[in-house]
Amino acid sequence: MTLTLAVYGKGGIGKSTTSCNISTALAKRGKKVLQIGCDPKHDSTFTLTGFLIPTIIDTLQEKDFHYEDIWPEDVIYKGYAGVDCVEAGGPPAGAGCGGYVVGETVKLLKELNAFDEYDVILFDVLGDVVCGGFAAPLNYADYCLIVTDNGFDALFAANRIAASVREKARTHPLRLAGLIGNRTSKRDLIDKYVSHVAMPVLEVLPLIEDIRVSRVKGKTLFEMAEKDPTLDYVCDFYLNIADQILALPEGVVPSEAHDRELFGLLSDY
Ligand code: ADP
Ligand code: MG
């Protein structure tokens, strides 16, 4: 059985950073992991591989969409701790649909028989909440995770995502595993939100300069901690999230707040 995760959240909130480190944490727990970057920005797996790997869409275009000419090694790259990495890539600029790209990516990986060999597949989803690429990974996911900070905008986006999960869960066995607070030392608004809509908070990570640096270096925190054990405490945040997921939490089918309700709730302090 492959456990499939979809990581969501507002643009720039730390989805890819969090995804790479959760994937690594899962690998450190002995799991065979595939991370699929679904953002046209195609930098999801950068800290795992240290470079921008070729995207599925670029490779498909190069081979004139002849799926039979594509080998797993054309599109699947080995990252840190043995995490396999795929970047879906983007539709042609100004045209096309991100949902189509995610669909093609899954189709190709299935044709390569590359889908069932993993213990965990993690989709790192784009931040744009209206595009077709946004909802597509929910079709495949067992669990959704939402990255947010303690601010209104990210929680507003989280609430939109929760609504999508609620909708998809009508036809798919999908659960929201919980929120991951990121880049914040405060959690009062996060707590206010989850006490209103009832969803778990898996972890809250502060702003950590070394996490910012990890992006520039193209390394996960685990790789950086090999040379600098003072970073072990940061890895522990991600290991804690991985362990909670591997324990197959019940999670929730969320019921989102109404927009007006949310404005009242989060501005009233
Ligand atoms: P997203 O994938 O949501 O667009 P990224 O993962 O690319 O966001 O993160 C955006 C930037 O924020 C990156 O430079 C990353 O290093 C930085 N970042 C993410 N989480 C943290 C954190 N907890 N502390 C400090 N910087 C962070
Ligand atoms: Mg990203």
Side-chain angles (χ1 to χ4, degrees):
M1 269 286 286
T2 305
L3 184 65
T4 306
L5 314 172
V7 176
Y8 279 86
K10 177 180 169 291
I13 200 69
K15 296 178 295 296
S16 299
T17 308
T18 308
S19 295
C20 288
N21 286 290
I22 292 176
S23 290
T24 303
L26 290 164
K28 296 274 179 194
R29 293 298 193 230
K31 301 298 168 191
K32 191 163 166 41
V33 183
L34 172 68
Q35 180 166 321
I36 304 176
C38 302
D39 194 323
K41 215 163 82 181
H42 64 90
D43 66 342
S44 167
T45 58
F46 181 69
T47 58
L48 286 164
T49 61
F51 71 108
L52 289 176
I53 65 175
T55 70
I56 294 245
I57 290 301
D58 288 347
T59 308
L60 276 170
Q61 272 170 351
E62 226 168 76
K63 308 255 177 172
D64 247 353
F65 286 83
H66 286 291
Y67 287 79
E68 66 281 6
D69 293 343
I70 297 176
W71 299 96
E73 56 269 29
D74 294 331
V75 290
I76 303 174
Y77 289 78
K78 194 60 84 188
Y80 178 71
V83 175
D84 278 347
C85 301
V86 163
E87 290 287 346
C97 161
Y100 161 81
V101 172
V102 175
E104 290 300 296
T105 297
V106 171
K107 184 171 146 198
L108 176 66
L109 292 172
K110 283 193 168 160
E111 282 187 22
L112 294 173
N113 287 324
F115 226 68
D116 300 324
E117 65 175 89
Y118 294 98
D119 299 314
V120 184
I121 296 179
L122 185 153
F123 288 91
D124 173 16
V125 187
L126 76 175
D128 184 346
V129 286
V130 287
C131 155
F134 164 75
L138 292 178
N139 296 329
Y140 313 103
D142 300 303
Y143 287 118
C144 170
L145 302 160
I146 304 177
V147 183
T148 181
D149 60 18
N150 191 51
F152 179 83
D153 292 335
L155 283 166
F156 194 82
N159 191 56
R160 282 277 168 84
I161 295 157
S164 306
V165 173
R166 195 244 316 126
E167 188 56 33
K168 278 281 176 197
R170 285 153 43 117
T171 48
H172 292 76
L174 166 72
R175 317 281 293 182
L176 173 66
L179 298 184
I180 298 170
N182 189 44
R183 230 163 35 195
T184 177
S185 52
K186 288 172 69 181
R187 56 178 289 170
D188 55 323
L189 290 188
I190 294 175
D191 286 337
K192 222 172 184 184
Y193 177 66
V194 298
S195 66
H196 189 75
V197 297
M199 57 179 72
V201 179
L202 302 182
E203 188 55 274
V204 179
L205 283 89
L207 189 150
I208 297 173
E209 174 61 9
D210 287 296
I211 297 184
R212 190 193 62 75
V213 170
S214 78
R215 162 60 157 279
V216 182
K217 288 195 167 167
K219 290 186 161 68
T220 62
L221 266 296
F222 290 86
E223 192 171 1
M224 285 168 64
E226 281 176 10
K227 293 217 172 82
D228 180 1
T230 63
L231 295 177
D232 283 348
Y233 85 99
V234 188
C235 301
D236 287 345
F237 285 118
Y238 298 116
L239 286 164
N240 177 29
I241 297 168
D243 288 341
Q244 290 183 69
I245 292 164
L246 291 176
L248 303 179
E250 195 179 334
V252 289
V253 173
S255 38
E256 76 277 12
H258 294 296
D259 285 355
R260 285 200 176 77
E261 221 177 351
L262 203 59
F263 269 82
L265 182 75
L266 300 180
S267 52
D268 157 43
Y269 71 103

